[in-house]
Amino acid sequence: MSEKTEEMRSVWKAMLTYLKLQIENLKLVSTEKSAILMSTCVVAVVFGILMAFALLFISIGLVLLLATALPVFWCFIIMGGVYIVAGIIVYFMRTTLVTNPIARFLSRLFLDEPNAENDNKNTI
């Protein structure tokens, strides 16, 4: 009977050790995934801000270029119309341009099994 008790205790200890290791693994994986997600968000925000400034300067340049042929007022109206049309296009294609890439990135980040190939793809 004591052999069975010792065997049960060793199995119980092994099971507790396994559970502790699984919890530790979960902590590490969740920290890694959170860091990747946050760094991607920061990169996207910085990239968006830089692209907004670039678009502003390109717009000013195009307005000045158009101003050689048209009155300045109409140049700004034309540039505003271009932005309205671009906004409408982005609105109607929001699933393709915004939702699907974000969903794909998050599903790849949180649902795929970690391995060396995936780790290199997820660190943008």
Side-chain angles (χ1 to χ4, degrees):
M1 185 76 155
S2 73
E3 282 182 26
K4 262 195 168 177
T5 307
E6 285 299 317
E7 190 175 317
M8 289 298 288
R9 283 186 184 156
S10 68
V11 168
W12 182 251
K13 284 182 182 179
M15 192 169 73
L16 286 177
T17 304
Y18 177 75
L19 286 175
K20 287 178 185 176
L21 289 174
Q22 287 296 343
I23 291 171
E24 190 67 27
N25 186 34
L26 180 64
K27 288 179 188 177
L28 291 172
V29 168
S30 63
T31 303
E32 176 192 16
K33 305 268 182 180
S34 298
I36 291 171
L37 183 61
M38 284 189 275
S39 67
T40 302
C41 289
V42 168
V43 167
V45 167
V46 169
F47 182 73
I49 291 170
L50 292 175
M51 291 308 294
F53 280 121
L55 196 57
L56 173 73
F57 287 119
I58 290 170
S59 298
I60 291 171
L62 287 175
V63 164
L64 293 176
L65 181 66
L66 280 173
T68 59
L70 298 171
V72 176
F73 174 76
W74 287 110
C75 296
F76 281 107
I77 294 294
I78 290 170
M79 191 52 61
V82 167
Y83 282 125
I84 289 172
V85 169
I88 290 170
I89 290 170
V90 168
Y91 177 76
F92 284 116
M93 296 184 67
R94 67 186 177 272
T95 303
T96 306
L97 296 174
V98 178
T99 307
N100 288 346
I102 290 172
R104 200 170 325 140
F105 170 72
L106 291 176
S107 67
R108 202 175 45 218
L109 181 65
F110 288 111
L111 300 179
D112 283 354
E113 290 294 322
N115 60 27
E117 291 175 16
N118 269 349
D119 289 343
N120 292 334
K121 290 179 187 174
N122 289 336
T123 54
I124 292 177

